[in-house]
């Protein structure tokens, strides 16, 4: 995951028209982005495993239902897309 993020950042820097000084990232920014992406993926996996049941997904992730709901809203994730048709 971190390797992928590092590779993506390097590719972005190489392909950018901006001077390298404008493209510097702090480790804190990189870690924050990696953590957010890991969190987003974990939520999606839990919702897929529970067929969109947010209560079960929250239990699976060991977080409060309200926390899961807020994170889903933050990342634009809808439980409906994981429910069977």
């Amino acid at each position: 995951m971190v390797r992928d993020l590092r590779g993506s950042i390097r590719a972005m820097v190489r392909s950018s028209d901006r001077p390298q000084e404008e493209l510097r990232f702090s480790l804190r920014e990189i870690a924050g982005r990696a953590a957010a992406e890991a969190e987003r993926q974990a939520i999606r996996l839990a919702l897929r495993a529970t067929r969109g049941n947010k209560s079960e997904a929250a239990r699976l992730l060991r977080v409060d239902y309200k926390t899961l709901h807020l994170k889903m809203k933050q990342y634009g994730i809808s439980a409906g897309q994981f429910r069977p048709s």
Side-chain angles (χ1 to χ4, degrees):
M1 173 93 179
V2 174
R3 226 180 276 160
D4 293 336
L5 183 60
R6 187 180 299 141
S8 297
I9 291 170
R10 285 182 180 153
M12 190 173 37
V13 169
R14 282 192 300 267
S15 67
S16 177
D17 295 333
R18 294 191 218 167
Q20 277 194 319
E21 294 78 35
E22 292 180 24
L23 296 172
R24 297 209 189 271
F25 298 99
S26 73
L27 288 177
R28 184 169 286 154
E29 288 172 317
I30 293 169
R33 290 177 187 184
E37 182 58 29
E39 193 171 60
R40 185 180 296 116
Q41 287 181 4
I43 291 169
R44 293 179 61 80
L45 286 171
L47 287 168
R48 187 174 298 127
T50 62
R51 296 182 173 168
N53 185 313
K54 292 186 278 186
S55 295
E56 285 184 35
R59 274 193 288 279
L60 188 63
L61 294 168
R62 297 181 184 163
V63 297
D64 187 65
Y65 176 86
K66 187 173 181 178
T67 301
L68 176 63
H69 183 75
L70 290 172
K71 291 292 184 176
M72 288 174 61
K73 188 174 181 179
Q74 176 184 346
Y75 296 130
I77 299 171
S78 168
Q81 67 194 63
F82 299 98
R83 293 189 182 119
S85 301

